[in-house]
Amino acid sequence: MCGIVGYIGNQDAKEILLKGLEKLEYRGYDSAGIAVQNDNGVTVFKEKGRIADLREHVDTDVLATTGIGHTRWATHGVPSKVNAHPHQSTSSRFTIVHNGVIENYSMIKREELSDVSFVSETDTEVIVQLIEKRVNEGNSVEASFRLALKSLKGSYAIALLDNQNEEVIYVAKNKSPLLVGLGESFNVVASDAMAMLQVTDQFVELMDKEIVIVTKENVTIKTLEGEVIERAPYTAELDASDIEKGTYPHYMLKEIDEQPLVTRKIIQAYQDINGDLTIDSDIVRTVNDADRIYIVACGTSYHAGLVGKQFIETMAKKPVEVHVASEFSYNMPLLSEKPLFIFISQSGETADSRAVLVQVKEMGHKAITITNVPGSTLSREADYTLLLHAGPEIAVASTKAYTAQLAVLAILANVTAKATGKDVNFDLVQELGIVANAMEVLCDAKEEMEELARNYLATTRNCFFIGRGIDFYVGLEGALKLKEISYIQAEGFAGGELKHGTIALIEDGTPVIALATQESVNLSIRGNVKEVAARGANPCIISMKGLEEEEDAFVLPEVHSLLTPLISVIALQLISYYAALHRDCDVDKPRNLAKSVTVE
Ligand code: M6R
């Protein structure tokens, strides 16, 4: 979380920094700031709230060609102007922006900086004060920066200004993402290439424990020991229009609507010249060599993992466990003899998942990352990557990444099953094509979905999602979507579990959204609906064509029974979207959340 930008060149830095921060706002949006530097020194502007609030307070008369900026998701200290970045050292000589968490900040404060009076509650201020202390001890700025970094435990992406040298931005990273972008007589710094596509598509990846000296003409990467490292730039293959809302009122709605297209793109991306589904043969061999697969992920990606387990176990007949990343490290299950880890992460940057990846790599196990972001940390650090091809997902609530994850997991299951001669008795290319068409029907049913949201969720405090088998997993995702953007207390339950406790929560009018897409459990889930209705609930049944009954609120177009999550979820995404709109919630940037969760 938190986004960082920097610019050094010949143009006025303010607008470039502000525009960059707007593109990074998905990473955190509780406060923001920029620091710009000219002959008169460094000027800091910061505000609580969004980039738009910051923009109003930036003095347009201050012209400067060097600057850094930050958009914050609070970890240490409440969201406030004083805790907003940039932070400065006591003499104001050094100005810093930081993304990450310094785990030993209180120890450094106590042992090294006991005579310093701190202005903010942040861990970040410790870094800038420590740098100043090292400079006061007689070290050069670069050496002080390196020395300070060596004292830090935790994660950081940092950009630093020295008000005695307008010609340099000092940069470093460890565990938090950071890139340097290259231009003609200018260079930039950004947490994500998206932020600087406005000025360049040439980027250099930074590795952990490197520092970078960025001037307008040069970018010098060094180790913490001062050894220079050469690294070629790459071209960011992002289309600037992919990160615009276009005519949509919200990114979330745009991304929901992109799902049919993304599904078709995925089919193409994983087809060989004969039209057969294909995956790198090393990956297929690795999957088939494993005796058990451990899927590790968070949030929506975890929910995709649950459905992925069904795909892999049904098609490839390989046992799969699915684990929440944040629990895995200290609650590790007994591993099989030949485990394979699959990390699912839209962003490829989620710190909880990354911590597990580091741990299992140290144990010598193989790992595959399924991600939307090529070159992301989880992609770089795993043995193999399978890409989602979903295009940038900006809304905090994940939508198209979820269905893309399901499509890629289905393809992985299918290809690995076929490689070992398992009988997969359906044509996945054809079935995913049918899914893409059915997704379009769902995307065209916005009015019906808005009406369902109005009828069932307009005034409710809570809402339950029930389903059995694969529908239960989709219910979990529907509940997450609804709660994160509408703040309605929502939970997903296995239909059969209600009577073991949860049914006590059913009151007159409690909305219960039931998914009925599976013939094998259709009667049972409808039985559960009757149980809650008998206790006053207001059931909303979403069924699959062929299984529908008169009382159903919406009937989904028919797709293969294993692939129903790819379309039933769209109904739940749209219902959540409209429920949030009806409550005037900020759909794309829900409270307390951030898109890329880079702290553990
Ligand atoms: O980037 P990741 O897929 O690793 O992110 C995992 C979760 O943080 C993410 O899915 C989160 O739950 C979304 N906000 C859900 O909409």
Side-chain angles (χ1 to χ4, degrees):
M1 11 263 294
C2 302
I4 287 180
V5 288
Y7 172 85
I8 185 160
N10 296 320
Q11 291 184 50
D12 184 36
K14 293 191 306 289
E15 194 50 33
I16 295 171
L17 296 174
L18 287 168
K19 278 206 177 118
L21 288 180
E22 278 161 3
K23 298 283 180 256
L24 291 184
E25 211 172 17
Y26 71 91
R27 301 179 70 89
Y29 35 83
D30 57 45
S31 53
I34 59 170
V36 289
Q37 183 168 11
N38 56 23
D39 295 346
N40 302 325
V42 171
T43 312
V44 173
F45 303 97
K46 53 188 190 175
E47 279 305 315
K48 182 172 177 220
R50 304 288 169 92
I51 311 299
D53 302 305
L54 171 66
R55 197 178 258 289
E56 278 177 21
H57 290 88
V58 171
D59 181 349
T60 45
D61 292 339
V62 178
L63 294 178
T65 54
T66 301
I68 55 179
H70 187 271
T71 179
R72 178 170 188 248
W73 186 86
T75 56
H76 296 62
V78 295
S80 66
K81 184 169 174 174
V82 81
N83 286 332
H85 299 217
H87 292 285
Q88 293 193 297
S89 59
T90 303
S91 72
S92 301
R93 175 165 174 188
F94 296 104
T95 306
I96 197 170
V97 291
H98 161 228
N99 165 26
V101 170
I102 305 305
E103 288 157 13
N104 58 340
Y105 83 104
S106 40
M107 194 192 81
I108 297 176
K109 242 182 181 177
R110 212 173 40 244
E111 293 181 2
E112 300 256 21
L113 302 168
S114 54
D115 54 339
V116 172
S117 61
F118 284 83
V119 177
S120 75
E121 301 162 273
T122 64
D123 50 344
T124 304
E125 214 185 326
V126 158
I127 314 172
V128 74
Q129 297 289 12
L130 194 57
I131 294 167
E132 178 152 290
K133 178 173 176 179
R134 297 291 176 249
V135 169
N136 290 342
E137 287 164 354
N139 299 293
S140 70
V141 175
E142 188 188 318
S144 300
F145 189 38
R146 281 195 266 118
L147 284 170
L149 295 175
K150 283 184 184 171
S151 305
L152 304 181
K153 287 201 170 38
S155 55
Y156 56 76
I158 290 172
L160 175 82
L161 297 179
D162 170 7
N163 75 4
Q164 295 185 8
N165 184 358
E166 209 190 315
E167 306 295 318
V168 183
I169 303 177
Y170 297 90
V171 169
K173 80 156 250 131
N174 186 43
K175 297 191 203 169
S176 296
L178 200 60
L179 302 168
V180 174
L182 310 180
E184 287 283 324
S185 295
F186 73 88
N187 287 306
V188 294
V189 179
S191 300
D192 183 327
M194 262 196 272
M196 285 298 164
L197 274 186
Q198 42 160 331
V199 289
T200 184
D201 63 357
Q202 295 300 300
F203 289 89
V204 178
E205 243 177 67
L206 305 183
M207 301 298 161
D208 287 353
K209 305 215 163 142
E210 290 178 344
I211 67 159
V212 195
I213 316 297
V214 185
T215 68
K216 68 179 178 185
E217 300 294 349
N218 287 305
V219 169
T220 312
I221 308 176
K222 295 184 181 178
T223 64
L224 283 189
E225 279 61 50
E227 195 185 318
V228 175
I229 297 166
E230 299 296 337
R231 188 165 303 133
Y234 69 92
T235 305
E237 286 175 9
L238 275 171
D239 184 338
S241 64
D242 283 353
I243 56 176
E244 300 300 336
K245 272 204 299 258
T247 53
Y248 280 90
H250 298 100
Y251 281 108
M252 183 177 175
L253 196 61
K254 173 175 180 259
E255 289 159 8
I256 289 173
D257 269 359
E258 283 170 355
Q259 291 175 103
L261 180 66
V262 170
T263 306
R264 293 189 183 109
K265 268 197 195 163
I266 291 171
I267 304 172
Q268 269 183 10
Y270 286 95
Q271 265 177 321
D272 64 15
I273 45 167
N274 303 316
D276 294 327
L277 290 171
T278 180
I279 278 181
D280 180 288
S281 56
D282 284 345
I283 299 183
V284 175
R285 203 171 316 112
T286 306
V287 174
N288 284 327
D289 279 353
D291 60 0
R292 182 171 286 258
I293 293 173
Y294 296 80
I295 294 181
V296 179
C298 307
T300 289
S301 298
Y302 168 73
H303 295 153
L306 294 170
V307 177
K309 170 183 160 74
Q310 297 289 102
F311 292 167
I312 297 169
E313 291 189 341
T314 308
M315 288 189 247
K317 314 280 182 240
K318 172 102 40 196
V320 181
E321 291 180 22
V322 189
H323 292 272
V324 168
S326 57
E327 284 290 305
F328 195 88
S329 303
Y330 52 86
N331 208 359
M332 194 180 289
L334 286 178
L335 298 181
S336 63
E337 274 181 24
K338 289 165 78 183
L340 168 68
F341 286 82
I342 298 184
F343 291 85
I344 307 178
S345 174
Q346 186 283 132
S347 62
E349 299 294 347
T350 300
D352 289 322
S353 300
R354 197 226 175 188
V356 181
L357 173 59
V358 170
Q359 198 177 3
V360 300
K361 289 305 296 166
E362 274 167 14
M363 292 163 77
H365 301 309
K366 288 258 188 275
I368 301 173
T369 289
I370 299 182
T371 184
N372 202 22
V373 185
S376 57
T377 307
L378 278 136
S379 164
R380 281 202 317 268
E381 295 181 355
D383 299 278
Y384 308 105
T385 296
L386 291 171
L387 289 176
L388 296 179
H389 301 285
E393 191 182 65
I394 314 272
V396 165
S398 187
T399 53
K400 63 177 177 173
Y402 173 81
T403 45
Q405 287 162 346
L406 298 193
V408 170
L409 283 160
I411 292 169
L412 179 66
N414 187 272
V415 173
T416 53
K418 285 190 173 158
T420 49
K422 307 262 176 3
D423 180 25
V424 182
N425 58 1
F426 64 95
D427 176 349
L428 187 58
V429 172
Q430 191 185 327
E431 295 300 337
L432 282 174
I434 294 172
V435 162
N437 294 342
M439 284 173 157
E440 265 165 17
V441 175
L442 261 294
C443 293
D444 288 345
K446 292 192 181 69
E447 277 177 25
E448 287 99 311
M449 295 302 146
E450 173 156 26
E451 204 180 317
L452 291 183
R454 198 179 298 285
N455 290 346
Y456 289 89
L457 302 172
T459 55
T460 190
R461 254 182 335 117
N462 54 13
C463 172
F464 298 110
F465 290 77
I466 61 170
R468 285 178 176 246
I470 216 162
D471 286 341
F472 162 46
Y473 300 145
V474 180
L476 293 176
E477 173 57 12
L480 177 62
K481 218 79 313 170
L482 184 63
K483 69 182 129 188
E484 73 176 326
I485 60 170
S486 74
Y487 319 138
I488 295 171
Q489 160 104 47
E491 302 303 334
F493 291 100
E497 266 301 291
L498 285 173
K499 57 187 175 295
H500 298 291
T502 311
I503 203 162
L505 296 173
I506 300 293
E507 295 170 347
D508 256 0
T510 305
V512 175
I513 299 180
L515 291 176
T517 74
Q518 302 296 307
E519 192 175 2
S520 57
V521 291
N522 189 31
L523 295 179
S524 325
I525 195 68
R526 287 179 186 278
N528 299 138
V529 169
K530 293 266 181 291
E531 288 160 10
V532 291
R535 286 154 182 90
N538 187 14
C540 168
I541 304 176
I542 297 178
S543 61
M544 176 68 50
K545 190 151 190 279
L547 302 177
E548 74 270 31
E549 292 190 10
E550 211 177 311
E551 59 188 352
D552 296 354
F554 189 80
V555 181
L556 301 164
E558 194 175 356
V559 299
H560 189 284
S561 62
L562 200 54
L563 303 177
T564 58
L566 284 114
I567 62 155
S568 55
V569 78
I570 297 182
L572 305 188
Q573 293 167 350
L574 283 167
I575 290 171
S576 303
Y577 172 79
Y578 288 112
L581 267 195
H582 294 159
R583 286 170 189 240
D584 277 336
C585 297
D586 187 340
V587 172
D588 283 339
K589 297 193 186 87
R591 72 182 177 208
N592 303 341
L593 296 178
K595 181 73 179 163
S596 183
V597 186
T598 54
V599 292
E600 281 174 51

